[in-house]
Structures are given as structure tokens and as C-alpha cells.
Amino acid sequence: MSTTPPVLAAELAQAWADIQRYHPELPDLAAPESLIGESSSACGAELSFERLLHEAVHGIAAARGIRDTSRAGRYHNRRFLAIAEEMGLDHPEEPHPSSGFSLVALNPEARRRYRPTAERLERALRAHTAATATDTARSFRGPAARHGSSGGGVRVKAVCDCGRNVRVVPSVLAQAPIMCGGCGKPFRIPEAVAAVG
């Protein structure tokens, strides 16, 4: 198995398609590579099948026109939880004070249903991590490594025409457009930010 990001992106897209088989209203994943190296304290620290299913909950909420978060996307409300439960994710009884019901986990039925998908994605993620973590004293990783980043580069704000924004590494955005689920237009890095970088 190749360990290049495009191959991992293909594995992510396949896992997303597997979720769509059970939840056909889930929109297509516009840019699977945008999930590589991303982290969010509200959504989980690392990419995994469980995290992908969490993101799919947001996709279904967007398709249904449901506002499933507040506080700039950090607090996951009961509408998020209701869709998460439909998709096979459980949450402890009480919401987290700052992130709400974001810390969901696969229930036993979903774990069985998605086992082959989760195992395939986990293998791809391990291979990708191994390929990108070969750090020796003689290898230069650039400014991201010196500044304590995960190594994916410095993230900047990209915006779409409806005003939504995401934090993204410019090189990831250069690989392929990341499409907004709200307005359907691509996110772009404003010229003022691009000129500084």
C-alpha cells in the first residue's frame, strides 16, 4: 500500500462512501485530504474512523439544514447527539461543559457494521503516520517542526462566499478545492493573508 496523502485521501473517500451506503442523505466528501493532519479539541484529537463518522454527523446535519453546534462550532448540541445516535454513535449522559456532546463513540452495532471499513482506514492511517514521522536529527522538516506544529504546516484561515471559514494548510488547499457545505463554493485564502505567507 502506498503511503502518499492522495492514497490516504482515497481511503478516506472510500470510508465515507461506506457510511453513505447506510446513510444515503450524507453529502459527498468534497476534499478528503482536508481531514489529513487536522485536529480539533471539540471533534477529537486525531483522525480515525470514529472521527470520520463524527464528521459525517455534521454532514447530515448540514444536508437537513440543522444547526448542530454553537460557540463557533465547539459546542455540539442535542440535535447533533440525535443524529449521532441515528448513525451508531453514543455519548455519556451529561454533556461536556465546553464541547457538549462532541465526544461520541461507536456503539457495538456500528462497530460490527463498520469493522472492515475501520480496519482498512486504520491501516492506511498507520502507514501514512509511519511515512510522515521519519524524523531524524539529520532531516529538515522546516518551520512547522520548529514551531511545535504537527508537521502539516502552518494553518491559515480560508473563507467562502457565505462567510464560513476553516483553518487549512495552504499546500492542502492547493492540491484541490475544499468546497463549502453551506454555499457550495470553494474556500479560498484571502489575498491579504496569502501575501503575508
Side-chain angles (χ1 to χ4, degrees):
M1 169 189 298
S2 173
T3 58
T4 59
V7 172
L8 180 53
E11 291 291 344
L12 286 164
Q14 181 58 54
W16 192 266
D18 291 351
I19 298 168
Q20 285 177 311
R21 256 189 251 125
Y22 294 98
H23 303 281
E25 71 182 302
L26 178 63
D28 291 338
L29 184 59
E33 61 275 4
S34 68
L35 295 171
I36 300 169
E38 285 296 307
S39 66
S40 164
S41 59
C43 299
E46 63 184 43
L47 189 55
S48 65
F49 180 76
E50 205 164 69
R51 167 85 188 280
L52 191 66
L53 197 56
H54 174 123
E55 296 301 329
V57 172
H58 291 303
I60 287 183
R64 293 178 182 174
I66 294 172
R67 186 171 177 184
D68 62 341
T69 63
S70 59
R71 301 181 196 164
R74 289 185 306 274
Y75 191 87
H76 293 60
N77 60 35
R78 291 192 183 278
R79 291 180 294 270
F80 171 86
L81 181 59
I83 298 169
E85 289 172 343
E86 285 178 40
M87 297 183 72
L89 293 166
D90 288 334
H91 186 276
E93 289 293 318
E94 294 299 316
H96 185 275
S98 62
S99 63
F101 296 100
S102 68
L103 302 175
V104 289
L106 286 165
N107 68 28
E109 180 185 337
R111 194 172 301 283
R112 281 188 300 275
R113 175 188 304 150
Y114 292 116
R115 184 179 186 146
T117 301
E119 288 174 352
R120 189 180 66 239
L121 182 59
E122 183 58 34
R123 281 192 303 273
L125 287 165
R126 275 195 311 266
H128 175 72
T129 299
T132 57
T134 55
D135 193 11
T136 68
R138 297 187 45 81
S139 62
F140 177 72
R141 294 182 60 215
R146 290 194 309 272
H147 298 294
S149 169
S150 64
V154 178
R155 290 178 176 85
V156 297
K157 186 186 336 185
V159 297
C160 70
D161 287 347
C162 70
R164 296 179 73 212
N165 66 73
V166 296
R167 306 282 302 167
V168 64
V169 177
S171 62
V172 170
L173 194 59
Q175 292 173 11
I178 298 173
M179 308 306 285
C180 175
C183 69
K185 295 191 177 167
F187 284 93
R188 63 190 179 349
I189 299 171
E191 288 71 29
V193 173
V196 172

